Amino acid sequence: ITNFDCEIEIPNVLTLNNDNINEIFIIKNLLFNDGELKIFNRWGNLIYENKSYANNWAPKNISDGVYFYIFYSIYCYGNVVGK
């Protein structure tokens, strides 16, 4: 029996200062590449989208500021997990 941890953790900050800490948008406990991630800027413009997210978005050339995300995945016993 495999027990999956259904509680995902999504970061609330990225620090793009080239120190290799918080440079990549990593969703903890993301088990498969079946999650969809969309990132929007403060004006609601879509700046990133991936329908098979694999913890690999390392933003380049974006301004400091507030960004919003939508993430959902169906991996935990067939339940939709979203934030």
Side-chain angles (χ1 to χ4, degrees):
I1 297 174
T2 303
N3 184 11
F4 295 114
D5 183 354
C6 295
E7 185 63 33
I8 58 173
E9 294 179 37
I10 299 181
N12 63 358
V13 67
L14 292 175
T15 55
L16 307 177
N17 57 2
N18 296 318
D19 67 356
N20 292 323
I21 300 171
N22 297 322
E23 303 275 336
I24 300 172
F25 192 82
I26 295 178
I27 299 172
K28 292 182 183 176
N29 299 322
L30 182 63
L31 301 176
F32 305 107
N33 299 347
D34 70 342
E36 182 173 348
L37 176 66
K38 294 180 181 182
I39 308 279
F40 300 88
N41 65 15
R42 70 179 85 186
W43 297 283
N45 298 319
L46 182 67
I47 63 163
Y48 178 81
E49 179 178 24
N50 191 317
K51 293 186 180 196
S52 188
Y53 189 64
N55 278 336
N56 56 356
W57 184 51
K60 303 287 184 213
N61 301 320
I62 65 170
S63 303
D64 289 348
V66 176
Y67 293 84
F68 303 91
Y69 65 83
I70 296 173
F71 175 78
Y72 75 91
S73 176
I74 302 173
Y75 76 85
C76 192
Y77 311 113
N79 296 317
V80 175
V81 177
K83 295 212 177 201

